[in-house]
Amino acid sequence: MTATAILDFRSDTVTLPDPVMCAAMGRAELGDDVLDGDPTMRRLEERAATVLGTEAALWVPSGSMGNLIALFLQVRRGERLLAPAQAHVLDQEVGTAFWLAGATPGPLPWRTGAPGRPAPDAVRTAAASTGPYFALRTTGLCLENTHNAAGGTVTTVDEHDALIRTATDAGLWVHLDGARIWNAAVRLGVAPARLTRGVTTVQACLSKGLGAPVGSVLGGSVALIAEARRARKMLGGGIRQGGMLAAAGLVALDRIARLRTDHETARVLASGLCELGWDVDVPETNVVMCRVENPDEVVRRLGARGLLTVPVVGRVRWMTHSGVDRAAVGEALGRLAQVPT
Ligand SMILES: *Cc1c(COP(=O)(O)O)cnc(C)c1O
């Protein structure tokens, strides 16, 4: 590795399909998934439903589309949608949850010491329909595991169950934005399906740490997924010979356990940054968040040394993935040690 090699810590979405994945895409059995079905798509959707523990699943081109479809099918115009503060559906999806799905945003504060996770009490209070007839109605909750903006933080099984119980008691449907549910499952040592228990719908990304070039899956009941297929068509998300992309997704689903390596790499990076005097959160998964005075300026200076990161909610975010291994982290820390930031 030369001193000028670019090391890309911006996101696990920068991962490229490797030769094994490309070969699987190249030999995928194909049909017309919009006309009457594509056999590889079918296999992926069946496998995704099994892994997610849902009755059925639908492949979608992106996590944002998966979330939008889930909300579009469940929110009625104007109803309040609860979600942890800084949730991706609230802040990072062009507001489509509001102006397309029609929800009114209801951000929930994080519990003290539990970044990204709201308290069941906050859900109960927000959902209580004690107001007059013109009061806003709350009908849904969108959870996020891992929570991206909080730093890839994990909602544990007990926390998940408590939130589901409260939401269900309050008559809410629950969508889980599980873009990185795989990371949460690996971190907790449980099956992904354990983390979807009680939800109405779940969205999970194949294109992040699992390395597929395109795609997410949306899980739910047979009836909901049939409606979701219509909504996907409405949004222009039906892909004819989609089997090529589904084949990448099938390979991606074989790679869930590998995420453990990304989590280890993140811990090595975090402790190295800490030794160099950075103010770093202990990573729970593959995200390393650093508190700095001026994130934009620090990101620019890191970039000048070939270290790509992003400014996120007032911090500098590093993300580990298959493209930045232990050696890359060592190299990055070496560059920082030579020239203090
Ligand atoms: C990446 C991400 C999404 C959206 O996925 P895209 O495929 O980029 O549209 C949704 N939610 C969370 C938490 C994410 O990190």
Side-chain angles (χ1 to χ4, degrees):
M1 201 177 305
T2 71
T4 52
I6 301 276
L7 299 174
D8 197 343
F9 290 94
R10 288 173 303 164
S11 175
D12 49 11
T13 56
V14 303
T15 44
L16 302 176
D18 66 5
V20 171
M21 195 175 266
C22 290
M25 293 169 77
R27 62 168 186 266
E29 192 190 343
L30 303 175
D32 185 330
D33 197 45
V34 178
L35 191 62
D36 59 0
D38 173 300
T40 309
M41 267 297 186
R42 222 45 359 91
R43 274 177 51 223
L44 171 71
E45 290 175 345
E46 277 165 21
R47 170 108 180 267
T50 304
V51 175
L52 292 173
T54 53
E55 266 180 33
L58 177 74
W59 179 93
V60 283
S62 71
S64 300
M65 191 188 285
N67 285 339
L68 172 60
I69 291 172
L71 301 180
F72 176 78
L73 294 178
Q74 295 177 95
V75 176
R76 284 198 301 176
R77 266 189 116 60
E79 292 174 345
R80 177 161 43 203
L81 170 69
L82 303 177
Q86 294 177 19
H88 204 276
V89 289
L90 296 178
D91 296 352
Q92 308 291 330
E93 297 182 12
V94 209
T96 52
F98 321 122
W99 63 274
L100 285 176
T104 299
L108 296 166
W110 301 343
R111 264 188 308 121
T112 316
R117 287 101 83 197
D121 263 350
V123 174
R124 194 174 296 120
T125 309
S129 54
T130 50
Y133 77 91
F134 47 79
L136 202 54
R137 219 178 246 166
T138 302
T139 54
L141 169 67
C142 175
L143 297 173
E144 187 171 314
N145 199 9
T146 63
H147 192 294
N148 184 339
T153 53
V154 175
T155 302
T156 65
V157 168
D158 287 348
E159 289 171 325
H160 172 83
D161 287 350
L163 286 163
I164 293 288
R165 213 174 309 121
T166 307
T168 309
D169 286 349
L172 307 183
W173 49 264
V174 182
H175 172 62
L176 172 60
D177 179 357
R180 294 189 182 81
I181 192 175
W182 324 115
N183 296 80
V186 163
R187 168 65 200 237
L188 296 170
V190 300
R194 180 63 189 86
L195 297 174
T196 69
R197 205 173 281 178
V199 307
T200 346
T201 45
V202 51
Q203 181 280 121
C205 290
L206 304 168
S207 61
K208 296 187 170 169
L210 300 187
V214 188
S216 276
V217 282
L218 176 65
S221 68
V222 168
L224 250 163
I225 293 306
E227 285 304 304
R229 199 174 292 280
R230 286 172 60 81
R232 183 185 70 177
K233 179 71 175 124
M234 176 185 79
L235 295 169
I239 305 293
R240 301 266 175 201
Q241 278 73 50
M244 291 188 87
L245 304 172
L250 282 162
V251 174
L253 287 175
D254 287 335
R255 297 182 170 175
I256 297 172
R258 194 208 60 77
L259 296 173
R260 191 183 313 276
T261 307
D262 295 349
H263 299 176
E264 281 163 15
T265 310
R267 282 199 295 276
V268 173
L269 173 62
S271 60
L273 287 167
C274 208
E275 275 168 31
L276 292 171
W278 289 60
D279 183 0
V280 187
D281 290 344
V282 176
E284 294 183 28
T285 53
N286 66 331
V287 183
V288 178
M289 289 284 212
C290 303
R291 255 170 278 269
V292 297
E293 283 285 316
N294 185 342
D296 293 315
E297 175 58 20
V298 173
V299 165
R300 202 191 53 73
R301 275 191 264 143
L302 290 171
R305 277 171 228 159
L307 304 175
L308 306 188
T309 57
V310 286
V312 173
V313 287
R315 304 199 241 171
V316 173
R317 186 187 78 187
W318 306 66
M319 220 188 260
T320 54
H321 51 80
S322 61
V324 280
D325 57 8
R326 282 282 257 275
V329 165
E331 166 70 23
L333 292 169
R335 286 185 207 175
L336 291 178
Q338 284 157 22
V339 193
T341 307

Coordinates of all heavy atoms in Angstrom, one line a residue, residues 110-142:
W110 N -34.1 9.9 22.6 CA -33.4 8.7 22.9 C -33.4 8.6 24.5 O -33.3 9.6 25.2 CB -31.9 8.7 22.4 CG -31.8 8.9 21.0 CD1 -32.8 8.7 20.0 CD2 -30.6 9.3 20.3 NE1 -32.3 8.9 18.8 CE2 -30.9 9.3 18.9 CE3 -29.3 9.7 20.6 CZ2 -30.0 9.7 17.9 CZ3 -28.4 10.0 19.7 CH2 -28.7 10.0 18.3
R111 N -33.4 7.3 24.9 CA -33.3 7.1 26.4 C -31.9 7.5 26.8 O -30.9 7.4 26.0 CB -33.4 5.6 26.7 CG -34.8 5.2 27.1 CD -34.9 3.8 27.6 NE -34.3 2.8 26.8 CZ -33.3 2.0 27.1 NH1 -32.7 2.1 28.3 NH2 -32.9 1.1 26.2
T112 N -31.7 8.0 28.0 CA -30.4 8.4 28.5 C -29.5 7.2 28.5 O -29.9 6.1 29.0 CB -30.5 9.0 29.9 OG1 -31.7 9.8 30.0 CG2 -29.3 9.7 30.4
G113 N -28.3 7.4 27.9 CA -27.4 6.3 27.9 C -27.7 5.2 26.8 O -27.1 4.1 26.8
A114 N -28.7 5.4 26.0 CA -29.1 4.4 25.0 C -29.3 5.1 23.7 O -30.5 5.2 23.2 CB -30.4 3.7 25.4
P115 N -28.2 5.6 23.0 CA -28.4 6.4 21.8 C -29.1 5.6 20.7 O -28.8 4.4 20.5 CB -26.9 6.7 21.4 CG -26.1 5.8 22.2 CD -26.8 5.5 23.4
G116 N -30.1 6.2 20.1 CA -30.9 5.6 19.0 C -32.1 4.9 19.5 O -32.9 4.4 18.7
R117 N -32.2 4.6 20.8 CA -33.4 3.9 21.3 C -34.3 4.7 22.2 O -33.9 5.2 23.2 CB -32.9 2.7 22.1 CG -32.3 1.6 21.3 CD -30.8 1.6 21.3 NE -30.3 0.9 22.5 CZ -29.0 1.1 23.0 NH1 -28.2 2.0 22.4 NH2 -28.6 0.5 24.0
P118 N -35.6 4.8 21.8 CA -36.5 5.5 22.6 C -37.0 4.6 23.8 O -36.9 3.4 23.8 CB -37.7 5.7 21.7 CG -37.6 4.6 20.6 CD -36.2 4.2 20.6
A119 N -37.5 5.3 24.8 CA -38.1 4.5 26.0 C -39.5 4.1 25.6 O -40.3 4.8 25.0 CB -38.1 5.4 27.2
P120 N -39.9 2.9 26.0 CA -41.3 2.4 25.8 C -42.3 3.5 26.4 O -43.3 3.7 25.7 CB -41.4 1.1 26.6 CG -40.0 0.6 26.6 CD -39.1 1.8 26.6
D121 N -42.0 4.1 27.5 CA -42.8 5.1 28.0 C -43.1 6.3 27.1 O -44.2 6.8 27.0 CB -42.2 5.7 29.3 CG -42.8 5.0 30.5 OD1 -43.8 4.2 30.4 OD2 -42.3 5.2 31.6
A122 N -42.1 6.6 26.3 CA -42.2 7.7 25.4 C -43.2 7.3 24.3 O -44.0 8.1 23.8 CB -40.8 8.1 24.8
V123 N -43.1 6.1 23.9 CA -44.0 5.5 22.8 C -45.4 5.6 23.4 O -46.4 6.0 22.7 CB -43.7 4.1 22.4 CG1 -44.7 3.5 21.5 CG2 -42.3 4.1 21.8
R124 N -45.6 5.1 24.6 CA -46.9 5.0 25.3 C -47.5 6.4 25.4 O -48.7 6.6 25.0 CB -46.8 4.4 26.7 CG -48.1 4.0 27.3 CD -47.9 3.3 28.6 NE -47.1 2.0 28.5 CZ -46.0 1.7 29.0 NH1 -45.4 2.6 29.8 NH2 -45.4 0.6 28.8
T125 N -46.8 7.4 25.8 CA -47.3 8.7 26.0 C -47.7 9.3 24.7 O -48.7 9.9 24.5 CB -46.2 9.6 26.7 OG1 -45.7 8.9 27.8 CG2 -46.7 11.0 27.0
A126 N -46.8 9.2 23.7 CA -47.0 9.8 22.3 C -48.2 9.2 21.7 O -48.9 9.8 20.9 CB -45.8 9.7 21.5
A127 N -48.5 7.9 22.0 CA -49.5 7.2 21.3 C -50.9 7.3 21.9 O -51.9 7.1 21.3 CB -49.2 5.7 21.2
A128 N -50.9 7.8 23.2 CA -52.1 7.9 23.9 C -53.1 8.9 23.2 O -52.7 10.0 22.9 CB -51.8 8.4 25.4
S129 N -54.3 8.4 23.0 CA -55.3 9.3 22.3 C -56.2 10.0 23.3 O -57.3 9.6 23.5 CB -56.1 8.5 21.3 OG -56.7 7.4 22.0
T130 N -55.6 10.9 24.0 CA -56.4 11.6 25.1 C -56.9 12.9 24.6 O -57.7 13.5 25.4 CB -55.5 11.8 26.3 OG1 -54.3 12.4 25.9 CG2 -55.2 10.5 27.0
G131 N -56.5 13.4 23.5 CA -56.9 14.7 23.0 C -58.4 14.8 22.5 O -59.1 13.7 22.5
P132 N -58.8 16.0 22.1 CA -60.2 16.1 21.5 C -60.2 15.5 20.1 O -59.2 15.0 19.6 CB -60.4 17.6 21.5 CG -59.0 18.2 21.5 CD -58.1 17.2 22.3
Y133 N -61.3 15.5 19.5 CA -61.5 14.8 18.2 C -60.5 15.3 17.1 O -60.2 14.6 16.2 CB -62.9 14.9 17.7 CG -63.3 16.3 17.1 CD1 -63.1 16.5 15.8 CD2 -63.7 17.3 18.0 CE1 -63.4 17.8 15.2 CE2 -64.0 18.6 17.4 CZ -63.9 18.8 16.1 OH -64.1 20.0 15.6
F134 N -60.1 16.6 17.3 CA -59.2 17.2 16.3 C -57.7 16.9 16.6 O -56.8 17.4 15.9 CB -59.4 18.7 16.1 CG -59.5 19.4 17.4 CD1 -58.4 19.8 18.0 CD2 -60.8 19.8 17.9 CE1 -58.5 20.5 19.2 CE2 -60.9 20.5 19.1 CZ -59.7 20.9 19.8
A135 N -57.4 16.2 17.7 CA -56.0 16.0 18.0 C -55.4 15.0 17.0 O -56.1 14.2 16.4 CB -55.9 15.3 19.4
L136 N -54.1 15.1 16.8 CA -53.3 14.3 15.9 C -53.5 12.8 16.4 O -53.4 12.5 17.6 CB -51.9 14.7 16.0 CG -51.0 14.4 14.8 CD1 -51.6 14.9 13.5 CD2 -49.6 15.1 15.0
R137 N -53.6 11.9 15.4 CA -53.7 10.5 15.7 C -52.4 9.8 15.5 O -51.8 10.1 14.4 CB -54.8 9.9 14.8 CG -55.7 8.9 15.4 CD -56.7 8.4 14.3 NE -58.1 8.8 14.7 CZ -59.1 8.8 13.8 NH1 -58.9 8.5 12.6 NH2 -60.3 9.2 14.2
T138 N -52.0 9.0 16.4 CA -50.7 8.2 16.2 C -51.1 6.8 15.9 O -51.8 6.1 16.7 CB -49.9 8.3 17.5 OG1 -49.6 9.7 17.7 CG2 -48.5 7.6 17.3
T139 N -50.6 6.3 14.8 CA -50.9 4.9 14.4 C -49.8 4.0 14.2 O -49.9 2.8 14.1 CB -51.8 4.9 13.1 OG1 -51.0 5.6 12.1 CG2 -53.1 5.6 13.3
G140 N -48.6 4.6 14.0 CA -47.4 3.7 13.7 C -46.1 4.1 14.3 O -46.0 5.2 14.8
L141 N -45.2 3.1 14.4 CA -43.9 3.3 15.0 C -42.9 2.7 14.0 O -43.1 1.6 13.5 CB -43.8 2.6 16.3 CG -42.4 2.5 17.0 CD1 -41.9 3.8 17.4 CD2 -42.5 1.5 18.2
C142 N -41.8 3.5 13.7 CA -40.8 3.0 12.9 C -39.5 2.9 13.7 O -39.0 3.9 14.2 CB -40.5 3.9 11.7 SG -39.1 3.4 10.7

